[in-house]
Amino acid sequence: MTSSDASAPLTAALQELISRLCILIPPLLSAQRASWEQGVAAHALLECHQFWERTSPSAPPPFDFSRFLYAFAHESAVRQGPDGRLGVLLNGDGTTDTGAADPASMGEALYWVLAGRERTHYRTDDVLSGAVNKQFSYILVDCPRASNGLLSHRIDRKEIWSDTVYMLPTFIVAAALSRLSGTSQHSMMAGDILRYGLRQIVLAAEVLQAPSGQWSHIYDLEGREFKREAWWGVGNGWVCCGIVRTLWMLVRTSEGGPELPNILAGDAELANLVGKCYSILLTTVRACLTHMRPDGLFHDVMNDPATFVETNLSQMLAFAIYRLALLSKQPSPLIEYIPVVPRMDLEEWLPKAETMRTAAVEKTDQWGLVRDVCGSPKFDKPGTATEGQAWAVMMEVARTEWNEA
């Protein structure tokens, strides 16, 4: 940041962001967290750090996000299970955490720490690189899967969940980009890893996505039947945000050099997968918005008004829309594969994103807790949750970056 930048007046959007982060992040950091909650909390901190790094706003960040990220990465490695899953050792040998996909959500933060070790001067020796390599090996080799290669969400039975679309592809794509940059030395080539990650999204959509665009929650890959066919709102949010964050990594990487665009230009199958994932995302967003209430919130099961009204899907969809809208202001080198959202869609979506965001802000109490999200620990009633805090943070960051662009 230059001295002139530092002396520039704060914009109203930046002031609002800093104020919101100061109230939202302490409860986020204070929460007890399972493996996927550690992952999504780390993603919120990473989104904050990258916003300040990318945009160099006229005020310093309210927290040293890089320190938090290193601590999160360190703790997930300390609690890594013997099978390679990150952050699963709570009380016992890790088998109490039955998630096969959830622990992978921390991998992106480990890759970030490893890539920035010279810049941050953190001690990132073989412990963190070994930890993320073990997590990657678990996904490739040991994670339960269907005969077509679709990875299971659980270790104790073969099931695909809508949540899986968030937990796994972001990690696998981060692994591909780490391989591309030379940070990691995975034996697979970057393009092949990327293909593997994007294919998980497409295969999951074939099983869980309805013709109308909404996603069911859980499908039994062995019994070939739904365990929960309901259109769970937060599950649809996981899908939208997982695909957005996956594609966003590709966009940002392509802005840093020609390597990724060159890979896609020379690999028609891979380029087609990127386009398919983008199309799945837009279809899902459109479908979810048909269920939005006038107050900007959603029912827990989107098409069932007998279920409780909850806050988090609104935050997740708003995040996705702000990220998609930013592409209209900053078209990427991958525009051939990830084009600008149609103008008619954005004209409809952005006011809805603002309505959803306003509803979520009104649900934030004096302690910074976002109330009436699908609540911990069983997520069967309104309450508070790490993921509710994390998506409030990511929504605010995405909104500010879109406003400031």
Side-chain angles (χ1 to χ4, degrees), residues 38 79 91 115 117 175 177 194 205 233 244 249 264-265 371 400:
Q38 183 85 344
R79 293 182 176 270
N91 295 310
R117 55 188 165 191
L177 300 180
L194 181 57
V244 163
M249 281 191 271
L264 293 176
R371 297 285 179 174
T400 303

Side-chain angles (χ1 to χ4, degrees), residues 381-392:
K381 60 180 180 293
T384 60
T386 298
E387 58 200 50
Q389 298 301 126
W391 286 113

Side-chain angles (χ1 to χ4, degrees), residues 89-355:
L89 293 183
L90 300 175
N91 295 310
D93 60 1
T95 55
T96 55
D97 186 327
T98 57
D102 290 339
S105 61
M106 261 307 300
E108 181 189 348
L110 268 71
Y111 282 126
W112 178 85
V113 171
L114 290 167
R117 55 188 165 191
E118 293 179 1
R119 180 181 67 241
T120 58
H121 305 293
Y122 290 140
R123 181 176 178 271
T124 53
D125 55 20
D126 292 343
V127 173
L128 291 189
S129 60
V132 79
N133 286 341
K134 289 177 183 176
Q135 175 65 75
F136 184 67
S137 178
Y138 174 82
I139 294 302
L140 286 186
V141 178
D142 296 321
C143 182
R145 67 200 67 205
S147 58
N148 64 354
L150 178 58
L151 295 167
S152 173
H153 193 80
R154 295 175 64 98
I155 62 173
D156 56 344
R157 49 186 177 267
K158 295 179 183 179
E159 293 178 350
I160 179 68
W161 293 22
S162 51
D163 316 40
T164 318
V165 178
Y166 186 87
M167 307 302 165
L168 275 180
T170 52
F171 168 62
I172 298 171
V173 169
L177 300 180
S178 178
R179 177 68 173 84
L180 184 64
S181 69
T183 300
S184 64
Q185 302 298 321
H186 299 308
S187 59
M188 288 176 66
M189 299 299 292
D192 292 329
I193 301 173
L194 181 57
R195 187 187 337 273
Y196 191 70
L198 297 177
R199 191 164 175 262
Q200 294 301 314
I201 296 172
V202 175
L203 290 174
E206 291 174 358
V207 175
L208 292 175
Q209 190 171 29
S212 53
Q214 301 89 340
W215 288 57
S216 293
H217 187 200
I218 303 171
Y219 186 81
D220 182 340
L221 294 169
E222 293 180 309
R224 297 187 178 182
E225 61 182 2
F226 283 106
K227 297 291 290 291
R228 190 186 186 203
E229 195 170 2
W231 293 346
W232 182 40
V234 172
N236 279 262
W238 285 126
V239 169
C240 292
C241 294
I243 302 176
V244 163
R245 294 197 69 254
T246 295
L247 297 179
W248 196 251
M249 281 191 271
L250 301 183
V251 167
R252 288 306 183 191
T253 299
S254 71
E255 293 170 349
E259 292 86 359
L260 181 59
N262 288 344
I263 289 174
L264 293 176
D267 191 328
E269 180 195 19
L270 185 55
N272 185 53
L273 279 173
V274 174
K276 280 186 176 180
C277 291
Y278 183 63
S279 177
I280 290 168
L281 168 63
L282 297 188
T283 300
T284 307
V285 172
R286 292 186 185 111
C288 288
L289 289 175
T290 64
H291 301 284
M292 191 183 88
R293 292 158 42 98
D295 60 4
L297 300 173
F298 293 80
H299 288 279
D300 181 55
V301 175
M302 294 187 296
N303 61 336
D304 185 353
T307 60
F308 62 86
V309 177
E310 78 92 32
T311 310
N312 206 22
L313 176 57
S314 299
Q315 299 183 134
M316 299 168 95
L317 283 178
F319 165 82
I321 290 168
Y322 292 131
R323 279 285 179 248
L324 288 168
L326 187 57
L327 290 175
S328 68
K329 293 184 177 181
Q330 300 175 350
S332 83
L334 301 183
I335 193 169
E336 179 180 352
Y337 320 107
I338 308 173
V340 172
V341 176
R343 182 177 177 180
M344 287 182 61
D345 281 329
L346 286 181
E347 288 177 348
E348 174 192 349
W349 294 0
L350 282 167
K352 289 185 176 180
E354 287 292 289
T355 299

